[in-house]
Amino acid sequence: MTSPLTAAEQDAAFRPDHTDPLDWNDLIEALNRSGLPVDLSGVESGLPGQPGPAGIAMDSRAVRTGDLYVGVPGANRHGAEFAAAVVAAGAAGLLTDREGAELAGDLPAGTPVLVVRNVRDAVGPAAAAIYRNAGVGPRMYGITGTNGKTTTSYFLTSLLEAWGETTGLIGTIEIRAGRRTVPSTLTTPESTQLHALMAMMRQEQVSSAAMEVSSHAISYRRVAGLHFAVAGFTNLTQDHLDLHGSMEEYFAAKAGLFDARRTGRAVITLDGGPDAPDRDGTTWGTRMAAAAGCPIATLSLGPAADHGGTPLTGADWTVSSLEAIGLGYRFTLLHAASGRSVTASTGLPGRFNVANAALAAVMVFESLPGTEWDAVARVLDVPVGQGPFATAVPGRMEVVGQSPDGIVDFAHNPDGMVRALESVRDARQASGNTTGRTILVFGATGDRDRAKRPVMGRIAAEWADVVIVTDDDAHTEEPAGIRSEVLTGVREAARQAAGTGRRVEIHEASPRQDAIELAVSLATPADTVLLAGRGHETVQDMDGVVVALDDRVELRAALARHGFGPSSDSHGRGRKVDGS
């Protein structure tokens, strides 16, 4: 296992090769224009003759010489407590709130201290000014929602590349600026890093970039100071309630992306989640469309929707037809205002992949003048299994073995679990396999939303034939306790299944490597072994101890030990069947 990057190395990876210092007066003016008036009492004596900042950092360990250090209140300490040490190490000045200015102590004479009422609100605009991002840079596409962000972002960049753009990608799995890659540790990096990355993308001549925008990123203002040409909404299902407290608060956090000051246009999937429309047609998507503060275009999934196929009326775009071809789908998008129809396809099974592909396509169409639509439509109208929506997404329903099928997926919440298990069932049915079982290995994350643990357990027993409950990232919790909460839901659903004559085989195994070994030992060539929850991740956190663990590596090795072959991918990376 390679050593993790230090905070300084991680932060440095986001930065462009060079940034000219920004005059202090220009920085103060930018903050004032953003509605964040600066208290100049700590800066007046420091402005004359002082070079301005050429970078910005929130982590004291990542500050470079010439940076503006941002002291923000933290869970345990205020960042401004480290200001003296950071300035002594070369920071050009401090941006903080009134409390931080008092905690900073005695700084060297002439050190600029910019004081604002809410420092978190000021970080993004300050970073945008320092890296000269106002009104320049790549055309930004943001995707939010509980599930589908990663796959939609990959589909988006693939379509844009096929259309001729130089693309960037910011997400859970990786960050790319053209051909340059950056280590990714958060779905959405901090605002200081994002604005550095925007400058790097300009340097690398990136013309368009797709970004996964998590609810944490919106709540913690990580996307402050960025402007999205188009933002898309996939769906909303139970997740992250440890942060938001309720689905209503979770919804409100997501809705924050669709503010007119942040986004030029939104594409809202009306029926992208498992919630069938109420009698009045209300879903989380229809509510999001009503709440959006920017111009919107709406998308109805029709036959690709989870609720079964009747399109919601009044949508701007509709999936009007859906045809299963092999493992993939051909589908038609209909634009209501123009009557124009667009044919597209995805080689990945699962109706939710059609939903992801449709959203990606509509976001690109809505970002362009109508005169460009024909060229994009030609890129999309290709045979199933080819074109931009045949792209693979690491750790999203990644097939690493066949006979039995060995699949690794990132499904880590109730809706994601249903989608993964449903796609396994559909793929088996499509192949005519009537005897195979689904053997599921999964766990739940510690220090996170506990309410979803028994829910996911029930789903596992409702869909899988063999359920093996194991460990995910336990963080600071006792792993056995997490497994127990998951097993409560598994056993409850298994008892109900027994009443209908269906038997669910239940196991508990730890560590995770033993659970994977058990799953493969129980499998026959007709079965499917699904490892859910971790996807592309390569390390596991067990009470602060970092363990090297890649489900894909472990599953391949277990299959080989039991005499089963790898997937048919000649490169040994596994073919892909779908992604969420």
Side-chain angles (χ1 to χ4, degrees):
M1 180 179 66
T2 57
S3 300
L5 296 178
T6 66
E9 291 169 335
Q10 173 76 28
D11 193 80
F14 285 86
R15 301 203 188 202
D17 293 340
H18 175 75
T19 303
D20 290 327
L22 179 70
D23 186 272
W24 285 108
N25 286 308
D26 291 339
L27 174 59
I28 292 168
E29 183 181 346
L31 290 171
N32 288 336
R33 283 198 308 268
S34 299
L36 299 158
V38 178
D39 179 348
L40 297 179
S41 60
V43 78
E44 288 176 338
S45 62
L47 280 176
Q50 293 289 332
I56 181 170
M58 295 173 64
D59 189 327
S60 61
R61 299 165 298 178
V63 173
R64 290 180 170 188
T65 299
D67 277 359
L68 176 67
Y69 174 56
V70 185
V72 299
N76 300 310
R77 300 181 69 178
H78 197 296
E81 295 178 43
F82 304 97
V86 169
V87 170
L94 173 67
L95 172 65
T96 191
D97 52 20
R98 177 54 57 193
E99 179 188 6
E102 294 172 357
L103 291 171
D106 293 330
L107 300 178
T111 301
V113 178
L114 309 186
V115 176
V116 293
R117 178 173 296 178
N118 190 319
V119 66
R120 281 200 175 275
D121 285 344
V123 180
I130 289 169
Y131 290 112
R132 280 71 163 185
N133 288 333
V136 296
R139 179 192 295 116
M140 294 300 300
Y141 296 84
I143 305 103
T144 199
T146 306
N147 296 311
K149 296 187 296 296
T150 299
T151 299
T152 303
S153 68
Y154 270 79
F155 282 170
L156 254 170
T157 54
S158 183
L159 174 55
L160 290 166
E161 286 171 2
W163 186 57
E165 296 278 289
T166 300
T167 63
L169 176 66
I170 306 169
T172 306
I173 296 175
E174 63 179 330
I175 296 174
R176 297 198 310 257
R179 296 182 179 180
R180 188 166 175 174
T181 60
V182 177
S184 176
T185 58
L186 298 170
T187 298
T188 312
E190 293 289 356
S191 58
T192 52
Q193 297 171 325
L194 277 176
H195 283 284
L197 185 60
M198 293 300 102
M200 182 201 291
M201 287 191 179
R202 290 201 312 275
Q203 171 187 293
E204 300 298 316
Q205 298 183 322
V206 170
S207 52
S208 295
M211 179 190 300
E212 297 179 48
V213 184
S214 66
S215 58
H216 291 69
I218 301 169
S219 297
Y220 295 146
R221 304 171 183 85
R222 291 178 188 156
V223 292
L226 289 182
H227 188 269
F228 296 92
V230 180
F233 174 74
T234 59
N235 50 60
L236 196 74
T237 64
Q238 182 179 338
D239 206 0
H240 302 306
L241 298 191
D242 53 317
L243 170 66
H244 300 294
S246 69
M247 287 298 291
E248 290 295 333
E249 291 182 21
Y250 186 28
F251 171 85
K254 294 289 190 184
L257 180 60
F258 306 112
D259 185 294
R261 293 167 296 181
R262 181 171 283 159
T263 293
R265 188 164 185 79
V267 178
I268 307 294
T269 307
L270 297 176
D271 45 3
D275 52 338
D278 297 334
R279 290 182 181 179
D280 63 356
T282 300
T283 64
W284 286 115
T286 55
R287 287 187 58 187
M288 190 65 75
C294 62
I296 67 168
T298 53
L299 168 64
S300 175
L301 298 176
D306 287 344
H307 61 74
T310 302
L312 298 181
T313 58
D316 298 298
W317 293 84
T318 300
V319 177
S320 59
S321 68
L322 181 65
E323 179 186 8
I325 300 177
L327 292 177
Y329 293 91
R330 181 177 298 280
F331 62 96
T332 302
L333 277 169
L334 179 64
H335 183 235
S338 67
R340 184 190 308 234
S341 63
V342 177
T343 300
S345 66
T346 174
L348 313 181
R351 289 195 311 271
F352 59 88
N353 273 313
V354 177
N356 295 331
L359 177 58
V362 172
M363 288 178 68
V364 172
F365 282 123
E366 289 291 332
S367 72
L368 301 173
T371 53
E372 303 280 3
W373 285 14
D374 286 343
V376 177
R378 285 193 293 271
V379 172
L380 290 171
D381 191 6
V382 295
V384 172
Q386 300 179 27
F389 299 152
T391 188
V393 185
R396 268 55 177 178
M397 293 304 285
E398 183 171 351
V399 177
V400 300
Q402 291 179 303
S403 299
D405 284 337
I407 302 174
V408 173
D409 188 58
F410 192 57
H412 60 285
N413 56 48
D415 183 51
M417 184 81 80
V418 169
R419 289 167 181 248
L421 289 163
E422 182 182 40
S423 67
V424 166
R425 181 201 65 187
D426 291 349
R428 190 161 57 231
Q429 290 177 348
S431 68
N433 181 352
T434 59
T435 61
R437 302 170 300 166
T438 298
I439 302 173
L440 173 65
V441 178
F442 82 108
T445 307
D447 298 340
R448 300 293 187 272
D449 181 8
R450 294 179 60 178
K452 71 182 182 184
R453 294 173 186 174
V455 175
M456 293 175 66
R458 287 195 296 271
I459 290 168
E462 289 166 358
W463 285 84
D465 303 289
V466 180
V467 177
I468 303 174
V469 176
T470 187
D471 303 325
D472 204 305
D473 289 310
H475 298 302
T476 65
E477 283 194 63
E478 171 57 43
I482 301 173
R483 296 195 301 271
S484 177
E485 293 183 24
V486 174
L487 282 163
T488 298
V490 175
R491 291 175 177 135
E492 176 187 338
R495 284 192 294 269
Q496 295 174 353
T500 67
R502 186 173 76 87
R503 178 176 177 270
V504 180
E505 186 177 333
I506 304 171
H507 299 270
E508 179 180 3
S510 177
R512 193 176 180 95
Q513 295 92 326
D514 289 355
I516 295 170
E517 180 72 20
L518 174 60
V520 175
S521 73
L522 296 173
T524 70
D527 295 336
T528 300
V529 177
L530 171 64
L531 311 187
R534 298 186 52 76
H536 64 284
E537 294 176 349
T538 58
V539 295
Q540 185 181 34
D541 177 9
M542 304 297 285
D543 196 18
V545 178
V546 177
V547 179
L549 178 64
D550 186 325
D551 277 3
R552 297 164 295 181
V553 172
E554 295 294 333
L555 183 53
R556 286 192 191 99
L559 289 167
R561 281 194 296 271
H562 288 269
F564 298 124
S567 78
S568 58
D569 184 340
S570 61
H571 299 289
R573 293 164 52 195
R575 65 177 176 86
K576 311 288 281 210
V577 294
D578 63 356
S580 59

